[in-house]
Structure formats: C-alpha cells, structure tokens
Amino acid sequence: MRSSFHVLLLPGDGIGPEVIDAARTVMDVAARHFRIELSYEERKIGGVAIREEGEPVTEETLEKARAADAVLLGAVGHPDFDRGPLRPEAGLLKLRKALGAFANLRPVEAIPALLSASTLKEEVVEGVDVLIVRELTGGIYFGEKVESKEKASDLSVYTREEIEQVARVAFEAAEGRKGRVTSVDKANILATSRLWRVVVEDVAGEYPGVALDHLLVDAAAMFLIRDPKRFDVILTENLFGDILSDEAAMLPGSMGMLPSASLGLPGTPGIFEPVHGSAPDIAGSGKANPYAAILSAAMLFRHALGRPDVAGAIQQGVSVAVEAGFKTPDIGGSKSTGDVMRAVSRWTAAGEGVA
Ligand code: NAD
Ligand code: IPM
Ligand code: MN
C-alpha cells in the first residue's frame, strides 16, 4: 500500500485560510497516527491570487494541481472584486475544468448532536442521509456569455457524454447506498433537461439494482425541506446542484457542516472543498466552523488516497467533538475555529479508525 502522498493546499479567501489550517492540522494528526507521509505545497487562488499574481489562478498553480495526488481548497470570493473585470470565482471554475472534476459529491447527513441546530423540526431532520451528485464542469456555468450594459445571456449546453459520465457516478454511489437515484431537472421547460432525462434513463438501464425517479427542480426544492428522508442520491446539473446543496445545508444545520469532493476520471487528482464560501461577514473573527473543511479532508483520504480507515478516524473525531459540545456559533455554540480543530485532532488521534 502506498504511504506517501502530495497534497496541494489552496486556502483562498476570507475564512478559507482559517478552515484549511484546521483541516491540515487534523490531516497531520491522522497521518501520524496511521504512519502516512504527507507533503504539502501551498498556492494562491481567488481574490488573493488576483491581488498578488494578477489572475485568479495561474497556469503554474494549475500545473501543481495536476501533479498533486489531491487538492484541498478553502474558498474563493471577496466583495472587493464584485465590480472588477477579474472575479475570484473564475479561478475555482478554471481549476475544476483543468482537472476535469465533473462530479461533485456533496453528502448531507443529519448529526444527532446537532438536530437542534437545524431550522427544521427534529423529526424531519433525524436520520437524513442524502448524497447530492452535482455535475460540475458543464451547463450554464461554462456556456458562452454575452454581457453588455443593455443585454446579457448565459448559454447552457450539455452533451450526452457529459450527462452519462456524471450519471454513472450517481448510480455507482447508489449501489453502495440505498439503491435509489432521484434525477432533478427542469424538463418541462429546458431542452438541456429533456436530454438529461433521456440520457439518465439510458444509463439507468446499466444499473438494474438501482431505482430511478425524476423530479422537477422546483418540486425537489420543496421535498428537500418537507421530507428529506425520501432521498438517497440526488443527481443534478451544475446550477441546480449549487442551489439545492446550500438549501440542504440546513438539514445538518449550517453551511459549515457540508464537505465535498470534486472528482474526475480515475487517476486525476480530485478537489476537496467545503460547500460554503469565503464568508466575508465572519472572516478573521475566529467564528468560522471548520467541520466542513475537516470532513472534506476525510473525503480526500477516502477518495483520493484510498484510505477509508483514515477517513473513518477523522469522521469519528468529528462526531465525538460535536457530541462533546465543540460547536461554533453557526451551530449554536461559542467555541472558536481553533477550539474545534484541537478537539477533533485529539479525538482523531485517539480513534482506531472505522472504515
Ligand atoms: P458563504 O457560504 O460564504 O456564506 C453564507 C452564510 O453562511 C454567511 O452568513 C456565512 O457567515 C455563513 N457561513 C458560511 N460558511 C461558514 C462556516 N464555515 N462557518 C460559519 N458560518 C459560515 O456565501 P456568500 O456569503 O453568498 O458568498 C461569499 C463569497 O464566497 C462570494 O464571493 C461567493 O462567490 C463565494 N463563494 C465561494 C464558494 C467556494 O469557494 N466554493 C462557495 C460559495 C460562495
Ligand atoms: C460552490 C460555489 C461555486 C459554485 C462558486 C464560488 C464558483 O458556490 O462551490 O458551491 O457556484 O460552484
Ligand atoms: Mn455554492
């Protein structure tokens, strides 16, 4: 078994560096415990890269990403750039495209000790376990854009191949879960969604053990709050997945709890990134919840380094820390980013690792 890996750290903007520092500390503790050698390099992305390197991500940084075993990313974005010609977010989109990271896995799980942090009733949230599989390198995010003072347009394009490859990721994930895929689209209006539906039906034929149903995105947004337990795997396009996953963050109770893995074809490095943004409203205050970044690091061990045992130990460390009351203000506590980092580190090192 390989035991030495190289990780590119891209902390980015706002709370990005704060949560990545916490995640890296936990990774180091876990690596030491499991006798894994991790090497890191840190580069800039987003607003900080625009300021210091003149663009939201440089070609050199993309090269480093391609050469790494995995990328751990914080967040990009800052209000200073809202009106400028260069946007921090463009750096993240370029990175995802450069690595071909077409499948974004966003697991959403209710945590028993956090049921009261959700704005929903406990009985609605208890036991929720949904995996959102979001297409990440196509659709309206990447189509041709026209922008003038009088008129603007964003083109949304999907090809059969793009839909097939992300659909397979969703069906394969469902095989290892409860065996249900809900494909979410807007087929009553959008041509891309009608193609999406046909292709997803075709791919479903390859997975006879998985049940497939379809929901229109407006109804899906409603059911996600009304009865989240009806879902196992949600498969959807780029924009709908972005919106539904922020909505889903209110099931565990905060944006600060949702991790993600952005994966491409086997052999390409994945990007592991919390679902939340740079949270400029709390940056620098010590209030940032690092659990999403720490859980993204666990996904990195599982998906990129092939070490579910290490991932399990980190997840266990997180569960114990949450149960012991290590909660930042967004989940109803008064602990700091550093308090949570130290608690998870302690319990990760104590854990035996549950794969
Ligand atoms: P956001 O996710 O940054 O923040 C939304 C709200 O959730 C804020 O009140 C924030 O304080 C809170 N929040 C988010 N993460 C938190 C955490 N870890 N701990 C505690 N509270 C947390 O979304 P926004 O305010 O709409 O966007 C801010 C900037 O981030 C924008 O520039 C946006 O483009 C960018 N963004 C980046 C990413 C990314 O890098 N993946 C994701 C979303 C938004
Ligand atoms: C996310 C973010 C990004 C997205 C932005 C910052 C490009 O909102 O990762 O969810 O829309 O994909
Ligand atoms: Mn988003």
Side-chain angles (χ1 to χ4, degrees):
M1 206 190 309
R2 227 180 115 194
S3 63
S4 134
F5 302 96
H6 184 67
V7 176
L8 180 69
L9 300 174
L10 299 175
D13 302 319
I15 63 169
E18 300 164 44
V19 298
I20 290 304
D21 179 57
R24 184 200 160 149
T25 301
V26 172
M27 283 173 79
D28 282 338
V29 165
R32 216 173 304 128
H33 187 74
F34 286 88
R35 296 194 168 75
I36 293 171
E37 213 178 293
L38 289 182
S39 59
Y40 304 94
E41 179 165 359
E42 192 173 313
R43 303 277 308 177
K44 296 185 168 50
I45 192 166
V48 66
I50 297 176
R51 267 197 202 101
E52 293 179 28
E53 299 171 341
E55 46 185 328
V57 67
T58 63
E59 192 47 50
E60 200 186 333
T61 300
L62 295 177
E63 253 333 293
K64 303 263 183 199
R66 289 186 193 100
D69 290 303
V71 178
L72 182 68
L73 186 138
V76 295
H78 194 279
D80 281 1
F81 299 96
D82 283 352
R83 288 169 181 280
L86 293 173
R87 290 213 58 118
E89 293 82 356
L92 180 53
L93 299 184
K94 210 167 167 185
L95 174 72
R96 289 171 177 169
K97 198 71 168 178
L99 296 185
F102 62 83
N104 184 211
L105 312 186
R106 298 186 157 186
V108 183
E109 290 164 28
I111 299 170
L114 279 190
L115 292 181
S116 63
S118 176
T119 48
L120 301 174
K121 293 188 184 119
E122 290 197 9
E123 66 263 28
V124 173
V125 171
E126 193 175 12
V128 162
D129 182 5
V130 183
L131 176 67
I132 298 176
V133 178
R134 169 191 177 196
E135 199 291 326
L136 201 61
T137 48
I140 200 165
Y141 274 60
F142 289 93
E144 188 196 342
K145 292 186 188 302
V146 177
E147 213 163 349
S148 77
K149 286 212 168 78
E150 302 304 323
K151 195 173 168 185
S153 71
D154 298 273
L155 188 65
S156 178
V157 181
Y158 269 113
T159 64
R160 171 173 281 272
E161 198 188 345
E162 285 173 318
I163 302 165
E164 273 173 2
Q165 63 181 5
V166 72
R168 291 204 175 94
V169 171
F171 281 93
E172 268 153 39
E175 280 184 326
R177 295 171 51 96
K178 292 189 212 108
R180 248 181 13 253
V181 169
T182 302
S183 176
V184 172
D185 61 36
K186 187 75 183 171
N188 52 345
I189 306 292
L190 303 177
T192 39
S193 282
R194 288 190 281 274
L195 177 66
W196 183 277
R197 219 174 248 227
V198 168
V199 175
V200 171
E201 285 283 347
D202 290 348
V203 172
E206 300 166 21
Y207 301 87
V210 178
L212 168 68
D213 64 345
H214 302 274
L215 275 181
L216 296 172
V217 62
D218 42 359
M222 180 275 291
F223 279 120
L224 199 52
I225 297 298
R226 175 180 156 148
D227 181 18
K229 279 177 267 198
R230 69 180 271 145
F231 296 108
D232 179 20
V233 175
I234 293 177
L235 163 64
T236 193
E237 66 164 272
N238 205 341
L239 180 62
F240 301 157
D242 180 46
I243 298 166
L244 291 180
S245 53
D246 270 33
E247 185 191 2
M250 283 306 111
L251 301 169
S254 170
M255 291 300 298
M257 297 307 299
L258 280 204
S260 90
S262 305
L263 307 176
L265 294 172
T268 56
I271 308 163
F272 298 83
E273 38 176 336
V275 169
H276 64 73
S278 56
D281 52 338
I282 57 164
S285 69
K287 291 185 182 157
N289 180 340
Y291 282 119
I294 293 169
L295 290 167
S296 300
M299 292 185 88
L300 186 158
F301 277 106
R302 186 180 300 279
H303 295 278
L305 310 188
R307 294 298 301 256
D309 51 344
V310 186
I314 295 176
Q315 286 172 302
Q316 182 72 14
V318 165
S319 301
V320 178
V322 173
E323 268 161 43
F326 283 83
K327 300 179 186 174
T328 42
D330 57 305
I331 47 175
S334 56
K335 299 291 188 195
S336 70
T337 313
D339 294 333
V340 170
M341 173 188 85
R342 285 182 287 278
V344 179
S345 299
R346 186 160 68 245
W347 281 302
T348 296
E352 292 308 309
V354 195

